[in-house]
Amino acid sequence: MRLIKNPEERRNEILDAAEILFVTKGYTKATVMDILQACNIAKGTFYYYFQSKEEVMNAIVMRFILSGEASARHVVSDPKLNAHDKIFRIMMAQNQPDGRKHDLIEQLHSVHNVEMHQKSLVETVIRLSPILAEVVEQGIQEGYFIHLTQRNPSNSCLYRHNFCWIEASFNGRRKNSKKG
């Protein structure tokens, strides 16, 4: 008997199964047929949602990117955090993938997946840039950063000082997070 599911639920089921296959078998070795078998669906059902295995991989990557974007937006919306802390938290959240994301990133680093990896980097930059720009603007208002149009010899020194202070803070926090 055919099981009818909500389209979004079915789509996510295909993505979840494909993600597991891409990580366990490797993206290049996993086939559409493997995905069909893992989901117990017909070929037509797969092609209703996706045109190719590459499109599935793209959708999986986009889920992670959108999750990172949502996480960054959540950090930015916290009025209690200053710009320095916001940037730190956004960067740390992007660089601390869970096990699934880590395994998928390993697949993206494969020579066979260079194009998909490049697309994911570009999409991440496109989505995070406006969020980070908002934080930098807040940092300028708070005095953590100096707008380049305000640069003069004395501001240049201050700019370098702020940059070194931020870099030292990141390094210090990185060392502390390894201890704890």
Side-chain angles (χ1 to χ4, degrees):
M1 182 171 171
R2 191 171 148 226
L3 183 61
I4 298 174
K5 292 187 177 180
N6 169 306
E8 192 61 29
E9 182 182 352
R10 178 67 77 186
R11 183 178 188 279
N12 282 322
E13 177 185 40
I14 295 168
L15 292 174
D16 292 342
E19 183 180 323
I20 290 167
L21 285 166
F22 293 165
V23 168
T24 57
K25 251 186 144 172
Y27 173 75
T28 55
K29 291 182 181 175
T31 65
V32 170
M33 187 58 75
D34 292 331
I35 298 169
L36 299 177
Q37 290 172 346
C39 295
N40 196 25
I41 60 172
K43 195 182 281 190
T45 303
F46 175 87
Y47 287 109
Y48 175 79
Y49 292 96
F50 301 100
Q51 293 181 6
S52 64
K53 181 175 84 166
E54 291 79 17
E55 192 174 306
V56 173
M57 178 63 134
N58 191 40
I60 291 168
V61 170
M62 281 307 298
R63 280 200 308 190
F64 284 118
I65 291 170
L66 293 173
S67 172
E69 178 186 14
S71 174
R73 288 191 186 284
H74 177 74
V75 169
V76 169
S77 70
D78 188 342
K80 293 177 259 172
L81 295 176
N82 63 36
H84 176 268
D85 289 336
K86 285 180 180 181
I87 286 181
F88 177 77
R89 288 183 185 199
I90 289 169
M91 292 302 162
M92 291 306 293
Q94 301 302 313
N95 291 324
Q96 300 213 356
D98 60 22
R100 284 181 19 210
K101 186 175 179 182
H102 179 268
D103 293 340
L104 188 65
I105 289 170
E106 288 299 314
Q107 287 300 314
L108 284 175
H109 287 145
S110 165
V111 172
H112 304 291
N113 298 326
V114 172
E115 185 179 322
M116 186 62 65
H117 184 240
Q118 186 66 30
K119 283 182 191 178
S120 73
L121 292 174
V122 168
E123 191 65 33
T124 299
V125 168
I126 288 168
R127 292 187 173 274
L128 287 182
S129 292
I131 297 167
L132 291 171
E134 184 179 332
V135 177
V136 168
E137 193 62 41
Q138 177 185 343
I140 290 169
Q141 292 171 2
E142 293 172 348
Y144 282 109
F145 311 119
I146 295 174
H147 195 280
L148 292 178
T149 60
Q150 299 171 338
R151 243 173 119 179
N152 64 36
S154 62
N155 283 348
S156 182
C157 245
L158 184 58
Y159 174 77
R160 286 190 190 110
H161 173 269
N162 281 345
F163 180 77
C164 291
W165 179 80
I166 290 168
E167 185 177 43
S169 296
F170 277 97
N171 289 334
R173 288 185 184 191
R174 201 174 297 130
K175 287 176 188 170
N176 291 337
S177 68
K178 288 179 183 177
K179 292 177 187 174

